[in-house]
Structures are given as C-alpha cells and as structure tokens.
Amino acid sequence: MGVTTISNELNCPIPPARIFKAAVLDAHNLLPKILPDKIKSIEVQGSGGAGSIKQINLADGGPFSFIKHRIEELDENNFKCKFTLIEGAVIGEKIEKVVDTVQFVASADGGSIIKVTSEFFTVGDYKMGEDELQKGKEMATGTFKTVEGYLLENPTAYA
C-alpha cells in the first residue's frame, strides 16, 4: 500500500467559525440546498461527531450514486474536521481509502485560510496520476467556494 498526500490552502473572506458551521457542522442541510445538481441529500448516522457516518447521495446522471465518509475527528474549538472516505467514488480496486483533514484558520484580514490535506491510500503499487489528484483538489475547492458564495449572498446565515 502506498500513500499519496496532497495539500491545498484557500483564502476565504468568511471568518473561520461561520464557514466551519456552514461547510462542516450543517453540511448535511446546506450542501443539498446550494448544490442540488450534484447532491440529492446527506444522511447522518450517529450524532454527527467522531464515529458518525455521512452518506452523501449524489444527483442522478453522475458516475456514482453515493459516497460515505466516517468522521474521525470534529474539533469545534479549532474549526477542524478529519474524515475518511470509506465507500463509493474512487474507493475500489486501486484506492483503499481517502483521509481528508480540513481546518479553518483565522487570517489577518478577518477571513479564513482553509487548509485541506488529502491522503490517498492506494492498493498495491498503484500510483495516482496527476489528473486524478487535480480532480480531487478541484472538487474540494469548488465546494468551499460555493459555500463561501452562499454566505456572502446571505450575510445573516450562520452568523
């Protein structure tokens, strides 16, 4: 088994507490609302904290019908979440699991720096291609930018 790690940082004008609340704590309600062409619904099994399973039911017509994450760590004081993709999407013959860590850190301008690290645990000697890694980065970036756009358009939401 090999591990390929990618990291990314995004600047965001939204303070950490607010975007964490929207993008992580209330994602099961917000994401289907603002991304209906991609996400039908999100089901939470458990309390929503560490050990919980989130099944993201994807919109019809995509390559996958759902993906499942297990929440490994949820630190509301430090605006950090760690979760493992355990089923669906890229999980299969070549990739065993994907562990994502997201942290929202205050920036000097009152907004946030969103720090995302993804660890891809591959099966055997499989090596991830650059196009696969770029696709993963773009998905995460796109979701956070959509949440950011929603919060900018709705200044009292999650305040």
Side-chain angles (χ1 to χ4, degrees):
M1 171 185 1
V3 180
T4 302
T5 303
I6 59 171
S7 296
N8 198 14
E9 288 190 3
L10 309 166
N11 291 315
C12 173
I14 309 296
R18 187 169 176 230
I19 193 156
F20 180 79
K21 190 174 186 182
V24 176
L25 298 180
D26 198 46
H28 58 286
N29 292 314
L30 182 62
L31 295 182
K33 177 179 170 182
I34 64 173
L35 292 167
D37 58 322
K38 297 188 180 358
I39 299 173
K40 275 200 271 190
S41 65
I42 299 177
E43 300 167 20
V44 181
Q45 300 164 4
S47 66
S52 297
I53 303 291
K54 286 189 177 185
Q55 178 169 313
I56 302 166
N57 299 306
L58 303 172
D60 296 333
F64 314 107
S65 60
F66 71 92
I67 58 176
K68 279 189 182 180
H69 290 126
R70 180 179 55 241
I71 306 298
E72 306 295 347
E73 176 186 347
L74 186 63
D75 183 343
E76 294 184 44
N77 294 321
N78 294 301
F79 313 116
K80 182 178 179 182
C81 182
K82 182 176 184 178
F83 55 93
T84 301
L85 176 62
I86 57 171
E87 197 175 329
V90 298
I91 303 303
E93 294 177 11
K94 297 176 182 176
I95 298 175
E96 179 185 319
K97 65 182 177 180
V98 181
V99 179
D100 290 305
T101 304
V102 181
Q103 185 165 19
F104 302 86
V105 179
S107 59
D109 63 3
S112 304
I113 299 168
I114 304 171
K115 298 181 177 191
V116 182
T117 301
S118 298
E119 298 171 285
F120 295 84
F121 291 78
T122 57
V123 175
D125 58 358
Y126 178 72
K127 300 279 186 220
M128 302 248 335
E130 194 59 41
D131 56 330
E132 292 173 291
L133 296 172
Q134 188 60 34
K135 192 174 187 181
K137 271 187 177 181
E138 288 171 2
M139 265 181 45
T141 300
T143 300
F144 287 122
K145 288 298 180 184
T146 301
V147 172
E148 174 186 307
Y150 173 81
L151 294 175
L152 288 171
E153 290 173 13
N154 299 277
T156 59
Y158 301 97

